[in-house]
Amino acid sequence: MKKHRAFLKWAGGKYTLVEDIRRHLPQGKVLVEPFVGAGSVFLNSDFEHYVLNDINPDLIALYQHLSTDPERYIRDAREFFGPKTNNKETYYQMRERFNATTDTYQRALLFLYLNRHGYNGLCRYNRKGGFNVPFGSYKAPYFPEDELGHFAEKAKRATFTCQNFVHSMRSAKTDHVVYCDPPYVPLSVTASFTTYASPGFTLDDQALLAKTALESSQRGVSVLISNHDTEHTRWLYRDANLNTVQVKRSISRNGKGRQKVGELLALYHQAEQQEEVVKYPRLVQG
């Protein structure tokens, strides 16, 4: 299967990990992604349908506008790429324009511009909800026309939602498979990065995710979660089957600082719950 890159730059994107994720994803008709992000798993898997969710309304609005009228969106977005828009003064004007407007189509166009021209492709908001990533100073930001087109074509099989991850997971049915790529548990106190959308993703949220995954598996829905391989995540996912892979982190702009770290894939499989019913019928009945 040919690999397809996402059109957005995304901290923690799963492009390099999609083969490992595919190997551990159970079969099902529909893939549900409560934390879709840039969509690398969506783009590199083959399900009949997809339910793609994210708490970031700007991200979901972009996907909706692109999938509704891809020709218009790609044509209009192209105007934001070129030498005239690739300078610090214009970038901050565009960022201010993005933060000031409530027009979802204009925000969708500017979101792509800011993503490709901002520092390291970060998506970060301040406490007031303002996008605050600084200028990236790239020689010639790439306009991802082919990637946009491929996303729009595959999105014909997708439904987009913008809600809390718990609601997204609880809406899954028994022929659905859930893949969760939450903001990761920090490797250290100083490494915390949880502000993909405001407010941040807390340790309480991490625990709630594990609890919801277990509850989903108990009602017949398989859930796969990826996260850093730490003592804390192994404890959080103690009710799941755990597998570890090594992946190179690319959030640092300095390539020398990109070291391999352990990636944990935690699978809550509904089939195992069925096995428990066979092994312990009295506990289930009583």
Side-chain angles (χ1 to χ4, degrees), residues 112 170 186 198 216 226 259:
L112 177 61
R170 287 178 177 169
S198 186
S216 297
S226 58
Q259 299 178 346

Side-chain angles (χ1 to χ4, degrees), residues 241-283:
N241 285 338
L242 303 181
N243 291 278
T244 305
V245 296
Q246 296 295 313
V247 62
K248 187 173 290 186
R249 283 273 160 256
S250 58
I251 190 171
S252 171
R253 196 176 187 186
N254 179 2
K256 295 180 180 179
R258 301 179 183 182
Q259 299 178 346
K260 286 190 175 183
V261 296
E263 186 98 4
L264 199 63
L265 293 175
L267 177 60
Y268 295 81
H269 204 318
Q270 54 92 3
E272 292 175 4
Q273 303 303 322
Q274 295 172 358
E275 290 174 7
E276 287 183 11
V277 172
V278 175
K279 291 178 181 179
Y280 309 108
R282 293 181 181 176
L283 292 178

Side-chain angles (χ1 to χ4, degrees), residues 14-275:
K14 289 296 172 288
Y15 180 78
T16 60
L17 200 62
V18 289
E19 293 93 343
D20 294 291
I21 292 170
R22 280 203 305 255
R23 279 197 294 270
H24 291 92
L25 272 175
Q27 293 184 342
K29 290 185 178 180
V30 178
L31 179 65
V32 179
E33 291 199 57
F35 308 87
V36 66
S40 288
V41 174
F42 156 64
L43 293 168
N44 293 284
S45 58
D46 188 19
F47 288 79
E48 291 182 20
H49 195 76
Y50 297 84
V51 179
L52 306 179
N53 178 78
D54 203 278
I55 196 64
N56 187 329
D58 293 318
L59 180 68
I60 295 302
L62 189 165
Y63 290 159
Q64 290 173 327
H65 284 296
L66 173 61
S67 59
T68 300
D69 193 346
E71 290 186 7
R72 178 195 179 203
Y73 181 86
I74 292 171
R75 181 191 67 235
D76 292 347
R78 189 184 294 110
E79 299 299 316
F80 289 83
F81 287 74
K84 291 183 180 180
T85 58
N86 187 31
N87 60 79
K88 184 180 292 188
E89 182 180 0
T90 301
Y91 175 84
Y92 288 113
Q93 289 175 352
M94 293 290 192
R95 195 180 76 174
E96 184 177 346
R97 179 176 159 191
F98 174 84
N99 288 330
T101 186
T102 57
D103 184 284
T104 62
Y105 185 67
Q106 287 301 312
R107 287 180 72 88
L109 295 172
L110 289 164
F111 190 88
L112 177 61
Y113 167 82
L114 295 170
N115 174 264
R116 283 283 168 178
H117 292 75
Y119 179 76
N120 214 28
L122 294 177
C123 180
R124 190 182 66 198
Y125 299 80
N126 61 29
R127 292 185 178 182
K128 294 182 179 180
F131 191 88
N132 65 354
V133 176
F135 182 55
S137 298
Y138 298 110
K139 185 176 181 180
Y142 171 65
F143 179 61
E145 182 168 358
D146 290 342
E147 292 84 350
L148 285 162
H150 179 74
F151 188 102
E153 180 63 28
K154 191 159 188 181
K156 293 176 180 178
R157 287 192 270 160
T159 299
F160 297 97
T161 61
C162 183
Q163 58 186 349
N164 181 279
F165 70 90
V166 174
H167 297 305
S168 178
M169 295 173 73
R170 287 178 177 169
S171 67
K173 298 178 174 59
T174 53
D175 61 347
H176 294 187
V177 175
V178 179
Y179 169 63
C180 295
D181 180 27
Y184 277 16
V185 170
L187 290 171
S188 65
V189 175
T190 58
S192 179
F193 177 76
T194 58
T195 48
Y196 293 104
S198 186
F201 202 77
T202 67
L203 290 178
D204 285 342
D205 291 323
Q206 299 283 358
L208 180 58
L209 172 60
K211 178 177 180 288
T212 307
L214 179 60
E215 292 172 349
S216 297
S217 69
Q218 290 171 341
R219 61 183 181 84
V221 179
S222 295
V223 180
L224 181 66
I225 306 176
S226 58
N227 213 316
H228 281 144
D229 186 3
T230 68
E231 183 178 344
H232 184 62
T233 53
R234 284 181 172 269
W235 181 84
L236 281 175
Y237 307 142
R238 60 193 179 277
D239 296 306
N241 285 338
L242 303 181
N243 291 278
T244 305
V245 296
Q246 296 295 313
V247 62
K248 187 173 290 186
R249 283 273 160 256
S250 58
I251 190 171
S252 171
R253 196 176 187 186
N254 179 2
K256 295 180 180 179
R258 301 179 183 182
Q259 299 178 346
K260 286 190 175 183
V261 296
E263 186 98 4
L264 199 63
L265 293 175
L267 177 60
Y268 295 81
H269 204 318
Q270 54 92 3
E272 292 175 4
Q273 303 303 322
Q274 295 172 358
E275 290 174 7

